[in-house]
Amino acid sequence: MPRVKTYNIPVRTETKKREPKKSVQNTIPSAEVKQVVILGGGFGGVRAALDLSKWAPSAKIVLVDRNKFHSYTADYYELSAALFVPKEPLGREEYLELASSVALPFKDIFSGRANLKFIQSEVQDVDFKRKRVLLKEGHLHYDYLVIALGSETNFCAIPHLNERGLEIKTTYDALNIRSTLDEAFETSGKNDVVSIVIGGGGFTGCEFAGELGVVIKKLAKLYNHPAKNVSVTVLEGSGALLGRAGAWFSEKAKRRLEKLGVKVELESFITDVKKKEVILKDGRVVKFSLLIWTAGVRPNCFLEKLKGLKLYKNNCIIVDSNLQAVGRENVFVIGDLAYFLSENKTPLPMTAQVAMEQGHYVARFIASKFIGKSWPEYRPKKERFIVPLGSKYALADLGFIKISGFLPWLLKRVVGFKYFASILPFGKAFLVWREGIKISTNND
Ligand SMILES: Cc1cc2nc3c(=O)[nH]c(=O)nc-3n(C[C@H](O)[C@H](O)[C@H](O)COP(=O)(O)OP(=O)(O)OC[C@H]3O[C@@H](n4cnc5c(N)ncnc54)[C@H](O)[C@@H]3O)c2cc1C
């Protein structure tokens, strides 16, 4: 069992007795009021909900998510490597403080929006014929449905990887990694090597490796563990880091990580995971104290249950040029779940940027339908990204220029604040942003 899942993010008061969940069956609006149901409160779902609430004030909007909070994944790399020695296990206060930099309560995001309702529940099925969503506690009628349930870790059928490796997909995962890092030091003798192995040298793997490269020796010092007996290794199956980013980024990232003391092993494809050892395709064996798997994502397994949607290779949902599920009018799919080809005929990457852009588009499209107007087809924007790589250093592709160093790091902070301010009241956005800055500064 992960050591940290006992606390409920992000409730700051004493845990109250749970009230019995109310059934949501009777939420059928009157014939004139259209109900838009949004499944999933991630980057895509939240953007769609907020924009619809503004542009379609006469509609009733319901957003359903299994959590009480929206997760800001872009800072997980800092959270999971946050520098401090916690009480054993991770103390409640530390836990809540860490979580509050990435877990943003929906009640804060949706406060003051009369036409927007949040329901915390597990989505179980959709009956497209009867236009009903089946939740754990009942069902919901919809006139328009937006599916934004995101993706999950893909362990790529590598034997024992899901039991012996840790994933970094949710806020709980990030906190779990942080907690298990402590465990690795606590359970190792001074002469043992605490070896952190990161499976995958994509964006998430490199960000996390960079942060750990900065933090790990300091953490060792806090645990009185000899610095020479700690190591961070990235195992990347292909011949380059940061896959789709291109050679300039791959080489810069490799140099930066190595400068921070991280071992980068390319062409190192993991085929099996034994107890404390990974086996590579070429027969090499790499020992680990902690294995973090960052190399695979796949659409939410919820898709497997849904009947009546056209899937691409049993994978994402194929959408048309208005992001409607093919053959299903008024059912929209956005973010990591949607299969949409870009101009150069490659699927759009699974990023927050794409999810938000699509949430925004779908809100516009639905709001236009309400007033009987048409809206142009969806056109994805050119991808831009920033990859932080430890301390105040990052690489960025801004579309017209590629840059590295302090400036892109600063830009990432500005982008982060802009995002928080776009979904939260200004004061709350500042507090969340400041929590992130605190962790970041402490890690440096
Ligand atoms: C560690 C990490 C770092 C990342 N960093 C970046 C970055 O820096 N920049 C970037 O652009 N992208 C980044 N990404 C990718 C980005 O997070 C995703 O592409 C984005 O979150 C997809 O948005 P979405 O709306 O499709 O789904 P999500 O944001 O994943 O939201 C899905 C929501 O659905 C809810 N849900 C799922 N299943 C159910 C169910 N059955 N019932 C009820 N609720 C459910 C979940 O709780 C979640 O809130 C990162 C991802 C990870 C894992």
Side-chain angles (χ1 to χ4, degrees):
M1 269 290 283
R3 302 192 315 161
V4 296
K5 288 200 177 175
T6 43
Y7 301 114
N8 192 8
I9 300 171
V11 181
R12 279 189 177 272
T13 51
E14 284 308 306
T15 321
K16 286 182 199 153
K17 265 197 182 164
R18 271 198 155 197
E19 285 178 24
K21 295 253 179 186
K22 287 179 200 141
S23 166
V24 289
Q25 289 179 24
N26 52 0
T27 52
I28 302 177
S30 64
E32 318 78 73
V33 180
K34 297 286 180 215
Q35 177 148 286
V36 185
V37 174
I38 300 171
L39 307 182
F43 286 95
V46 162
R47 190 69 271 148
L50 292 175
D51 288 351
L52 259 172
S53 142
K54 191 168 63 190
W55 294 326
S58 63
K60 185 169 176 204
I61 301 145
V62 184
L63 185 140
V64 185
D65 198 289
R66 59 160 67 108
N67 294 319
K68 274 186 188 162
F69 54 86
H70 165 68
S71 295
Y72 184 68
T73 53
D75 279 354
Y76 281 178
Y77 72 98
E78 278 181 339
L79 180 64
S80 44
L83 186 70
F84 65 96
V85 176
K87 294 162 210 143
E88 174 53 32
L90 198 61
R92 179 184 165 83
E93 280 312 310
E94 290 150 340
Y95 182 80
L96 294 180
E97 210 170 303
L98 284 177
S100 63
S101 67
V102 295
L104 322 180
F106 286 117
K107 70 172 169 33
D108 291 346
I109 296 176
F110 299 145
S111 73
R113 295 185 186 253
N115 61 344
L116 213 166
K117 181 178 171 189
F118 169 68
I119 296 176
Q120 184 186 5
S121 185
E122 186 75 23
V123 180
Q124 298 195 319
D125 203 352
V126 180
D127 181 343
F128 293 108
K129 271 198 189 134
R130 295 165 77 189
K131 293 193 163 192
R132 288 203 325 190
V133 175
L134 181 69
L135 305 179
K136 207 172 168 195
E137 292 83 20
H139 59 257
L140 267 177
H141 163 82
Y142 69 81
D143 296 296
Y144 294 83
L145 181 67
V146 180
I147 307 179
L149 292 167
S151 53
E152 59 188 27
T153 302
N154 186 356
F155 292 100
C156 305
I158 298 172
H160 310 296
L161 180 58
N162 61 346
E163 305 133 47
R164 293 173 178 158
L166 298 178
E167 54 187 311
I168 180 165
K169 193 71 186 86
T170 66
T171 300
Y172 295 109
D173 296 334
L175 289 162
N176 192 31
I177 289 175
R178 179 59 194 86
S179 183
T180 316
L181 258 178
D182 290 312
E183 210 168 61
F185 280 103
E186 285 159 7
T187 54
S188 301
K190 297 278 173 275
N191 295 325
D192 298 339
V193 176
V194 174
S195 155
I196 320 292
V197 171
I198 298 167
F203 285 69
T204 304
C206 285
E207 287 175 2
F208 183 54
E211 199 66 14
L212 260 190
V214 173
V215 163
I216 199 76
K217 292 207 169 70
K218 298 180 192 172
L219 197 59
K221 202 170 168 194
L222 291 176
Y223 275 101
N224 292 320
H225 196 92
K228 65 177 173 48
N229 286 348
V230 291
S231 74
V232 180
T233 307
V234 176
L235 299 177
E236 166 54 40
S238 75
L241 295 177
L242 296 177
R244 66 176 191 277
W248 189 84
F249 288 97
S250 308
E251 279 151 31
K252 282 240 172 213
K254 186 164 182 288
R255 242 177 289 146
R256 169 70 183 169
L257 291 182
E258 286 173 345
K259 195 173 165 197
L260 294 173
V262 175
K263 275 187 238 161
V264 177
E265 307 225 4
L266 303 175
E267 311 282 2
S268 298
F269 196 89
I270 299 175
T271 53
D272 196 359
V273 182
K274 306 277 183 214
K275 205 169 172 227
K276 302 289 172 194
E277 281 177 349
V278 291
I279 313 296
L280 303 181
K281 199 175 175 183
D282 57 12
R284 277 180 294 149
V285 175
V286 181
K287 290 194 183 305
F288 67 84
S289 319
L290 204 73
L291 171 65
I292 293 130
W293 179 246
T294 68
V297 276
R298 64 169 184 209
N300 195 316
C301 67
F302 170 77
L303 271 193
E304 288 158 17
K305 289 193 215 157
L306 276 189
K307 301 278 173 284
L309 289 177
K310 210 168 164 201
L311 303 186
Y312 176 76
K313 289 190 180 169
N314 279 337
N315 223 306
C316 303
I317 304 169
I318 304 176
V319 291
D320 65 16
S321 55
N322 300 126
L323 301 178
Q324 261 173 140
V326 168
R328 293 266 165 221
E329 208 189 340
N330 297 338
V331 175
F332 299 83
V333 186
I334 58 174
D336 286 1
L337 274 186
Y339 180 80
F340 186 95
L341 292 180
S342 66
E343 267 179 1
N344 57 8
K345 303 287 170 226
T346 52
L348 294 182
M350 289 181 176
T351 65
Q353 184 195 326
V354 169
M356 285 188 285
E357 199 181 287
Q358 295 185 338
H360 179 78
Y361 173 85
V362 158
R364 272 277 186 220
F365 186 83
I366 296 175
S368 302
K369 271 192 124 182
F370 283 167
I371 51 168
K373 284 198 170 169
S374 62
W375 191 254
E377 293 182 345
Y378 169 65
R379 290 258 173 274
K381 289 191 186 138
K382 194 174 179 319
E383 189 188 5
R384 285 158 202 187
F385 56 80
I386 304 177
V387 198
L389 291 173
S391 210
K392 293 183 175 57
Y393 180 98
L395 305 175
D397 184 345
L398 305 181
F400 59 97
I401 190 172
K402 295 168 185 165
I403 47 172
S404 63
F406 174 71
L407 197 64
W409 176 87
L410 189 66
L411 203 60
K412 180 178 157 44
R413 291 289 151 202
V414 175
V415 170
F417 180 72
K418 239 182 109 194
Y419 178 66
F420 297 139
S422 75
I423 62 169
L424 286 168
F426 191 85
K428 290 219 159 106
F430 178 74
L431 292 179
V432 173
W433 182 76
R434 199 183 57 178
E435 287 299 328
I437 291 283
K438 262 200 240 167
I439 296 176
S440 167
T441 315
N442 203 27
N443 283 3
D444 292 351

